[in-house]
Amino acid sequence: MKTTPSGLAYPLLSDREKSELSGRKGRKATLATGLLALVLAACSGGADTQGDTAPSQSPSQAAQGDCDLLDPDTLERAFGGKLTFTRMSGRGERGGGCTVSVAQGEESQIILQVGDAADYAARKDAYHSQGLKLVPVNLGREAFIVNDAQLIAIDDQNRSISLGLSLVVFDGKPPLSNEEAAAGIEKAGSEILANMQAPPSA
């Protein structure tokens, strides 16, 4: 575990657990790290191949990773207007991830990663093995809030998400309490799961 100078704490994966997440269904894995070297998106998909459950993608989606599933306005509402979300960055096809910058703090961001059932199981097992706090929430088929800063969830079609907030504040009080951060992550995750169910726009 590593903690911010002032803020939240985040889970880290061991080298063995990172290795288990790499190579799932031919995808490359990368460790999503911010200033805190945290793992929020444990399995960043590449553009090589897609898993059996990956939905079809339009040409516009193929260039933005998972960024079509969320937007700054939705995120701001989820966090009660206490955070401002700015630049979005995604790459590749579904599973390529999406990083959204947060105006508050230093290099703060929220990271979304879409995956499959194997990715979800690997994250869940890794966090259990580290003794982290996993709080069940009523989303999808199964979902947990991890250490008040990350949501992992899986839906009935074996599509999974990892959504994590990296909030780094050096001076002053963080704009969110741990409870507010967890609630915001849960609300944002609910919107993302709903968007995954929606048919792609023309």
Side-chain angles (χ1 to χ4, degrees):
M1 296 287 291
K2 292 187 178 182
T3 60
T4 68
S6 178
L8 303 172
Y10 304 90
L12 293 171
L13 293 183
S14 68
D15 290 340
R16 178 184 61 80
E17 290 156 349
K18 287 182 233 172
S19 176
E20 290 175 358
L21 281 169
S22 65
R24 295 284 186 187
K25 300 182 184 295
R27 289 198 299 265
K28 295 178 181 178
T30 61
L31 191 62
T33 59
L35 186 61
L36 308 179
L38 66 152
V39 172
L40 296 178
C43 181
S44 180
D48 298 336
T49 58
Q50 292 294 306
D52 297 338
T53 60
S56 60
Q57 295 147 46
S58 65
S60 61
Q61 179 187 308
Q64 61 180 336
D66 300 323
C67 286
D68 61 307
L69 296 174
L70 74 174
D71 63 81
D73 289 341
T74 298
L75 289 171
E76 287 184 24
R77 288 194 299 271
F79 288 90
K82 293 191 174 184
L83 296 179
T84 302
F85 298 88
T86 56
R87 187 175 64 88
M88 300 178 68
S89 175
R91 64 179 180 84
E93 300 181 349
R94 174 68 74 234
C98 183
T99 300
V100 187
S101 299
V102 180
Q104 289 77 12
E106 302 292 333
E107 300 186 29
S108 297
Q109 58 192 6
I110 193 165
I111 301 173
L112 169 65
Q113 181 74 52
V114 175
D116 56 20
D119 299 325
Y120 175 79
R123 291 188 182 100
K124 181 181 174 182
D125 290 348
Y127 299 152
H128 270 304
S129 70
Q130 294 178 47
L132 302 179
K133 181 178 73 171
L134 274 71
V135 178
V137 291
N138 187 25
L139 291 178
R141 189 171 80 218
E142 184 179 74
F144 295 92
I145 297 290
V146 185
N147 273 23
D148 299 324
Q150 180 180 3
L151 170 74
I152 58 172
I154 187 168
D155 68 10
D156 289 331
Q157 298 183 46
N158 286 329
R159 297 174 300 194
S160 68
I161 64 170
S162 170
L163 181 69
L165 175 66
S166 166
L167 187 59
V168 186
V169 180
F170 286 103
D171 298 312
K173 181 180 179 182
L176 293 175
S177 67
N178 284 20
E179 292 76 14
E180 289 170 329
I185 287 287
E186 181 178 350
K187 290 177 183 177
S190 177
E191 292 283 348
I192 292 166
L193 289 173
N195 289 341
M196 288 172 64
Q197 298 290 338
S201 57

